[in-house]
Amino acid sequence: MNGSSKSRHPWVYGVLYGTVFLILTVYDLDIEKALTVTIPDWWKFFGSSISILPGILIAGWCAGVLARHEAGWKRILYGILSLFFCVYTAMQFSKYSRLPFSSPAVLILLAAALALVFLLSRKPAELTPEGRRALWIGILLLCLQALTIDLMKALWGRPRYAFLSETGKTFIPWYRISGPVWSDDRLRSFPSGHTGAASVLLWITLLPCLFPSLGKKRALLTAAALAWIVMTMIGRIGIGAHYATDVWGGFGVSLALFELLKHQLLPGKKADDNQAEV
Protein backbone atom coordinates (compact mmCIF):
# COMPACT_ATOMS: atom_id res chain seq x y z
CA MET A 1 0.00 0.00 0.00
CA ASN A 2 1.57 3.33 -1.00
CA GLY A 3 1.73 6.49 1.10
CA SER A 4 -0.96 8.35 -0.88
CA SER A 5 -3.44 5.54 -0.24
CA LYS A 6 -2.73 5.74 3.47
CA SER A 7 -3.29 9.49 3.55
CA ARG A 8 -6.66 9.12 1.86
CA HIS A 9 -8.04 6.71 4.44
CA PRO A 10 -9.44 9.35 6.83
CA TRP A 11 -11.24 11.04 3.93
CA VAL A 12 -12.69 7.76 2.73
CA TYR A 13 -14.02 6.98 6.19
CA GLY A 14 -15.40 10.51 6.52
CA VAL A 15 -17.24 10.25 3.22
CA LEU A 16 -18.59 6.84 4.19
CA TYR A 17 -19.83 8.16 7.52
CA GLY A 18 -21.47 11.16 5.86
CA THR A 19 -23.11 8.99 3.21
CA VAL A 20 -24.68 6.78 5.87
CA PHE A 21 -25.85 9.92 7.69
CA LEU A 22 -27.58 11.17 4.54
CA ILE A 23 -29.31 7.84 3.97
CA LEU A 24 -30.50 7.71 7.58
CA THR A 25 -31.75 11.29 7.30
CA VAL A 26 -34.02 10.31 4.40
CA TYR A 27 -35.45 7.24 6.15
CA ASP A 28 -35.22 8.48 9.74
CA LEU A 29 -38.91 8.33 10.64
CA ASP A 30 -39.56 5.13 8.68
CA ILE A 31 -36.75 3.31 10.52
CA GLU A 32 -38.11 4.53 13.84
CA LYS A 33 -41.63 3.32 13.15
CA ALA A 34 -40.40 -0.07 11.94
CA LEU A 35 -38.10 -0.81 14.86
CA THR A 36 -40.43 0.31 17.65
CA VAL A 37 -42.85 -2.49 16.77
CA THR A 38 -40.32 -5.25 16.03
CA ILE A 39 -37.62 -5.04 18.72
CA PRO A 40 -38.21 -7.46 21.63
CA ASP A 41 -38.43 -6.16 25.18
CA TRP A 42 -35.10 -7.68 26.26
CA TRP A 43 -33.33 -5.73 23.54
CA LYS A 44 -35.01 -2.53 24.61
CA PHE A 45 -33.89 -3.19 28.20
CA PHE A 46 -30.36 -3.81 26.96
CA GLY A 47 -30.34 -0.53 25.04
CA SER A 48 -31.68 1.39 28.00
CA SER A 49 -29.98 -0.10 31.05
CA ILE A 50 -27.05 -2.33 30.06
CA SER A 51 -25.41 -0.88 26.95
CA ILE A 52 -23.72 2.07 28.67
CA LEU A 53 -22.15 0.10 31.54
CA PRO A 54 -18.98 -1.29 29.84
CA GLY A 55 -17.86 2.17 28.75
CA ILE A 56 -18.03 3.46 32.32
CA LEU A 57 -16.27 0.38 33.68
CA ILE A 58 -13.49 0.84 31.12
CA ALA A 59 -12.82 4.28 32.57
CA GLY A 60 -12.97 2.80 36.08
CA TRP A 61 -10.44 0.12 35.15
CA CYS A 62 -8.14 2.64 33.47
CA ALA A 63 -8.15 4.78 36.61
CA GLY A 64 -7.62 1.68 38.77
CA VAL A 65 -4.55 0.59 36.80
CA LEU A 66 -3.09 4.10 36.99
CA ALA A 67 -3.69 4.13 40.75
CA ARG A 68 -1.69 0.92 41.16
CA HIS A 69 1.26 2.39 39.27
CA GLU A 70 1.32 5.78 40.99
CA ALA A 71 2.33 6.92 44.46
CA GLY A 72 1.28 9.64 46.86
CA TRP A 73 -1.52 12.02 45.96
CA LYS A 74 -1.75 10.72 42.39
CA ARG A 75 -2.50 7.24 43.66
CA ILE A 76 -5.23 8.62 45.90
CA LEU A 77 -6.67 10.72 43.07
CA TYR A 78 -6.82 7.86 40.59
CA GLY A 79 -8.21 5.56 43.29
CA ILE A 80 -11.04 7.98 44.04
CA LEU A 81 -11.72 8.35 40.33
CA SER A 82 -11.89 4.58 39.88
CA LEU A 83 -14.26 4.29 42.83
CA PHE A 84 -16.43 7.06 41.40
CA PHE A 85 -16.78 5.30 38.05
CA CYS A 86 -17.80 2.06 39.78
CA VAL A 87 -20.46 3.86 41.80
CA TYR A 88 -21.55 5.78 38.70
CA THR A 89 -22.04 2.48 36.88
CA ALA A 90 -24.53 1.39 39.55
CA MET A 91 -26.19 4.81 39.55
CA GLN A 92 -26.77 4.70 35.80
CA PHE A 93 -28.18 1.20 35.97
CA SER A 94 -30.49 2.30 38.80
CA LYS A 95 -31.63 5.33 36.81
CA TYR A 96 -32.47 3.58 33.56
CA SER A 97 -33.78 0.33 35.00
CA ARG A 98 -35.92 2.39 37.40
CA LEU A 99 -34.76 0.34 40.36
CA PRO A 100 -33.95 1.99 43.71
CA PHE A 101 -30.23 2.28 44.36
CA SER A 102 -30.76 0.21 47.50
CA SER A 103 -32.38 -2.66 45.56
CA PRO A 104 -30.52 -6.01 45.56
CA ALA A 105 -29.92 -5.93 41.80
CA VAL A 106 -28.20 -2.53 41.94
CA LEU A 107 -26.14 -3.39 45.02
CA ILE A 108 -25.02 -6.67 43.45
CA LEU A 109 -23.99 -4.77 40.32
CA LEU A 110 -22.06 -2.26 42.43
CA ALA A 111 -20.24 -5.04 44.30
CA ALA A 112 -19.46 -6.81 41.02
CA ALA A 113 -18.14 -3.60 39.46
CA LEU A 114 -15.88 -2.89 42.44
CA ALA A 115 -14.57 -6.46 42.53
CA LEU A 116 -14.05 -6.62 38.76
CA VAL A 117 -12.16 -3.34 38.57
CA PHE A 118 -10.07 -4.16 41.65
CA LEU A 119 -9.05 -7.60 40.38
CA LEU A 120 -8.46 -6.63 36.76
CA SER A 121 -6.48 -3.50 37.68
CA ARG A 122 -3.65 -5.78 38.84
CA LYS A 123 -2.76 -6.25 35.19
CA PRO A 124 -0.58 -5.26 33.46
CA ALA A 125 2.22 -5.70 35.97
CA GLU A 126 4.34 -3.10 34.19
CA LEU A 127 3.17 0.08 32.50
CA THR A 128 4.92 1.58 29.47
CA PRO A 129 4.56 5.26 28.53
CA GLU A 130 2.34 4.20 25.61
CA GLY A 131 0.21 2.08 27.93
CA ARG A 132 -0.16 4.98 30.36
CA ARG A 133 -1.37 7.28 27.59
CA ALA A 134 -3.81 4.63 26.40
CA LEU A 135 -5.28 4.53 29.92
CA TRP A 136 -5.70 8.31 29.90
CA ILE A 137 -7.56 8.00 26.62
CA GLY A 138 -10.04 5.59 28.25
CA ILE A 139 -10.84 8.10 30.98
CA LEU A 140 -10.88 11.17 28.74
CA LEU A 141 -13.02 9.52 26.07
CA LEU A 142 -15.81 8.70 28.52
CA CYS A 143 -15.79 12.19 30.04
CA LEU A 144 -15.41 14.22 26.84
CA GLN A 145 -18.09 12.38 24.88
CA ALA A 146 -20.54 12.84 27.76
CA LEU A 147 -19.86 16.58 27.99
CA THR A 148 -19.97 17.09 24.22
CA ILE A 149 -23.17 15.12 23.68
CA ASP A 150 -24.93 16.74 26.63
CA LEU A 151 -24.15 20.19 25.22
CA MET A 152 -25.32 19.18 21.75
CA LYS A 153 -28.56 17.77 23.17
CA ALA A 154 -29.28 21.06 24.88
CA LEU A 155 -28.54 23.12 21.78
CA TRP A 156 -30.51 20.92 19.36
CA GLY A 157 -33.66 20.44 21.46
CA ARG A 158 -34.95 17.63 19.26
CA PRO A 159 -38.10 15.91 20.61
CA ARG A 160 -37.89 12.17 21.22
CA TYR A 161 -40.21 9.97 19.19
CA ALA A 162 -41.74 8.34 22.28
CA PHE A 163 -42.90 11.74 23.60
CA LEU A 164 -44.18 13.45 20.46
CA SER A 165 -47.84 13.27 21.46
CA GLU A 166 -47.08 14.07 25.09
CA THR A 167 -45.15 17.24 24.22
CA GLY A 168 -47.41 18.28 21.36
CA LYS A 169 -44.47 18.16 18.96
CA THR A 170 -44.18 16.63 15.51
CA PHE A 171 -41.25 14.87 13.89
CA ILE A 172 -38.34 17.26 13.43
CA PRO A 173 -35.33 16.25 11.29
CA TRP A 174 -31.97 16.41 13.00
CA TYR A 175 -30.75 19.39 10.95
CA ARG A 176 -33.48 21.69 12.31
CA ILE A 177 -32.15 23.11 15.57
CA SER A 178 -35.00 23.82 17.99
CA GLY A 179 -33.08 24.53 21.21
CA PRO A 180 -31.76 25.46 23.54
CA VAL A 181 -33.45 23.02 25.92
CA TRP A 182 -31.58 22.58 29.20
CA SER A 183 -33.85 20.51 31.43
CA ASP A 184 -36.66 18.70 29.59
CA ASP A 185 -35.19 15.31 28.68
CA ARG A 186 -38.12 14.64 26.33
CA LEU A 187 -36.64 17.28 24.02
CA ARG A 188 -33.04 16.05 24.06
CA SER A 189 -32.99 13.36 21.40
CA PHE A 190 -30.02 14.37 19.22
CA PRO A 191 -27.42 12.96 19.54
CA SER A 192 -27.76 9.72 21.51
CA GLY A 193 -25.90 9.76 24.82
CA HIS A 194 -26.32 6.02 25.30
CA THR A 195 -24.72 5.32 21.94
CA GLY A 196 -21.93 7.76 22.70
CA ALA A 197 -21.22 6.00 26.00
CA ALA A 198 -21.47 2.55 24.41
CA SER A 199 -19.00 3.69 21.74
CA VAL A 200 -16.36 4.14 24.44
CA LEU A 201 -15.96 0.40 23.89
CA LEU A 202 -13.89 1.38 20.84
CA TRP A 203 -11.14 1.84 23.41
CA ILE A 204 -10.59 -1.93 23.62
CA THR A 205 -8.78 -1.68 20.27
CA LEU A 206 -5.99 -0.02 22.30
CA LEU A 207 -5.55 -3.03 24.57
CA PRO A 208 -2.46 -4.12 22.60
CA CYS A 209 -0.75 -1.00 24.02
CA LEU A 210 -1.05 -2.68 27.42
CA PHE A 211 -1.01 -6.33 26.40
CA PRO A 212 1.22 -6.76 23.31
CA SER A 213 0.05 -10.36 22.91
CA LEU A 214 -3.30 -8.97 21.76
CA GLY A 215 -1.71 -7.22 18.79
CA LYS A 216 -2.96 -9.87 16.38
CA LYS A 217 -6.47 -9.68 17.85
CA ARG A 218 -7.15 -6.09 16.81
CA ALA A 219 -9.71 -7.06 14.15
CA LEU A 220 -11.56 -9.24 16.66
CA LEU A 221 -11.54 -6.45 19.26
CA THR A 222 -12.88 -3.99 16.69
CA ALA A 223 -15.64 -6.39 15.63
CA ALA A 224 -16.68 -6.95 19.25
CA ALA A 225 -16.85 -3.20 19.93
CA LEU A 226 -18.86 -2.49 16.77
CA ALA A 227 -21.29 -5.34 17.49
CA TRP A 228 -22.00 -3.89 20.94
CA ILE A 229 -22.47 -0.40 19.51
CA VAL A 230 -24.86 -1.59 16.78
CA MET A 231 -26.93 -3.53 19.33
CA THR A 232 -27.12 -0.35 21.42
CA MET A 233 -28.22 1.71 18.42
CA ILE A 234 -31.03 -0.68 17.55
CA GLY A 235 -32.17 -0.90 21.16
CA ARG A 236 -32.32 2.88 21.55
CA ILE A 237 -34.31 3.28 18.33
CA GLY A 238 -36.62 0.43 19.27
CA ILE A 239 -37.52 1.95 22.61
CA GLY A 240 -38.50 5.21 20.93
CA ALA A 241 -35.82 7.23 22.71
CA HIS A 242 -33.84 8.05 19.57
CA TYR A 243 -34.00 8.19 15.79
CA ALA A 244 -31.44 6.50 13.56
CA THR A 245 -29.67 9.84 12.98
CA ASP A 246 -29.46 10.36 16.75
CA VAL A 247 -27.61 7.11 17.37
CA TRP A 248 -25.39 7.60 14.33
CA GLY A 249 -24.58 11.08 15.60
CA GLY A 250 -23.73 9.78 19.07
CA PHE A 251 -21.42 7.19 17.53
CA GLY A 252 -19.79 9.88 15.40
CA VAL A 253 -19.04 12.09 18.40
CA SER A 254 -17.28 9.30 20.28
CA LEU A 255 -15.48 8.07 17.17
CA ALA A 256 -14.18 11.56 16.37
CA LEU A 257 -13.02 12.11 19.96
CA PHE A 258 -11.38 8.69 20.04
CA GLU A 259 -9.43 9.41 16.86
CA LEU A 260 -8.48 12.89 18.10
CA LEU A 261 -7.23 11.54 21.43
CA LYS A 262 -5.23 8.83 19.67
CA HIS A 263 -3.71 11.43 17.36
CA GLN A 264 -2.72 13.65 20.29
CA LEU A 265 -1.60 11.05 22.83
CA LEU A 266 -0.50 8.14 20.63
CA PRO A 267 1.04 9.84 17.59
CA GLY A 268 2.78 6.65 16.51
CA LYS A 269 -0.43 4.62 16.61
CA LYS A 270 -1.70 5.65 13.19
CA ALA A 271 1.58 4.72 11.55
CA ASP A 272 1.53 1.36 13.31
CA ASP A 273 -2.02 0.68 12.13
CA ASN A 274 -1.11 1.58 8.56
CA GLN A 275 1.86 -0.75 8.65
CA ALA A 276 -0.43 -3.54 9.85
CA GLU A 277 -2.67 -2.97 6.82
CA VAL A 278 0.14 -3.30 4.29
Side-chain angles (χ1 to χ4, degrees):
M1 187 178 296
N2 59 41
S4 61
S5 296
K6 295 176 186 176
S7 63
R8 285 199 299 267
H9 279 178
W11 296 103
V12 171
Y13 296 145
V15 170
L16 178 61
Y17 179 87
T19 300
V20 174
F21 216 138
L22 288 174
I23 295 172
L24 295 179
T25 299
V26 174
Y27 297 101
D28 217 3
L29 187 57
D30 294 332
I31 295 172
E32 180 68 44
K33 290 179 177 179
L35 288 182
T36 51
V37 296
T38 58
I39 296 301
D41 290 340
W42 69 265
W43 203 332
K44 294 179 180 179
F45 180 78
F46 166 84
S48 175
S49 305
I50 305 297
S51 60
I52 59 174
L53 304 186
I56 306 173
L57 286 175
I58 282 174
W61 178 76
C62 289
V65 174
L66 287 168
R68 285 187 176 272
H69 289 83
E70 293 289 358
W73 67 268
K74 288 185 178 180
R75 185 170 205 164
I76 296 174
L77 178 61
Y78 283 123
I80 293 173
L81 193 59
S82 180
L83 176 61
F84 167 77
F85 285 131
C86 290
V87 174
Y88 188 63
T89 300
M91 290 173 60
Q92 291 296 94
F93 179 73
S94 172
K95 175 182 177 181
Y96 291 107
S97 65
R98 299 182 181 179
L99 293 172
F101 191 83
S102 59
S103 66
V106 176
L107 294 179
I108 290 173
L109 174 64
L110 175 58
L114 290 168
L116 187 65
V117 168
F118 176 77
L119 293 174
L120 292 182
S121 63
R122 297 184 177 187
K123 300 291 185 179
E126 296 181 1
L127 198 58
T128 65
E130 182 185 54
R132 188 180 298 273
R133 289 192 291 269
L135 293 171
W136 290 341
I137 290 175
I139 297 171
L140 290 172
L141 179 58
L142 177 71
C143 297
L144 291 177
Q145 63 81 26
L147 291 172
T148 302
I149 288 178
D150 193 62
L151 178 60
M152 292 177 67
K153 282 176 175 290
L155 294 178
W156 251 262
R158 189 184 194 188
R160 299 180 188 270
Y161 178 78
F163 298 106
L164 289 182
S165 59
E166 183 179 314
T167 58
K169 303 286 186 177
T170 57
F171 169 76
I172 297 176
W174 70 270
Y175 51 81
R176 284 178 51 190
I177 299 177
S178 305
V181 176
W182 301 105
S183 58
D184 192 344
D185 190 62
R186 300 172 302 175
L187 305 177
R188 291 162 62 89
S189 185
F190 181 86
S192 168
H194 274 67
T195 306
S199 298
V200 174
L201 208 62
L202 290 168
W203 180 87
I204 66 175
T205 60
L206 297 184
L207 280 175
C209 295
L210 296 151
F211 306 99
S213 61
L214 294 176
K216 295 182 179 180
K217 305 290 186 181
R218 196 181 306 276
L220 180 61
L221 294 171
T222 301
L226 291 177
W228 187 274
I229 294 166
V230 170
M231 285 186 64
T232 302
M233 290 178 172
I234 296 174
R236 296 305 287 164
I237 298 172
I239 206 172
H242 291 289
Y243 296 97
T245 49
D246 296 336
V247 297
W248 194 244
F251 169 67
V253 169
S254 284
L255 178 60
L257 288 171
F258 181 53
E259 293 299 324
L260 177 63
L261 288 169
K262 283 200 302 181
H263 178 75
Q264 294 297 321
L265 297 178
L266 296 172
K269 198 67 187 165
K270 182 177 178 181
D272 293 341
D273 291 343
N274 285 334
Q275 287 296 327
E277 293 173 5
V278 176

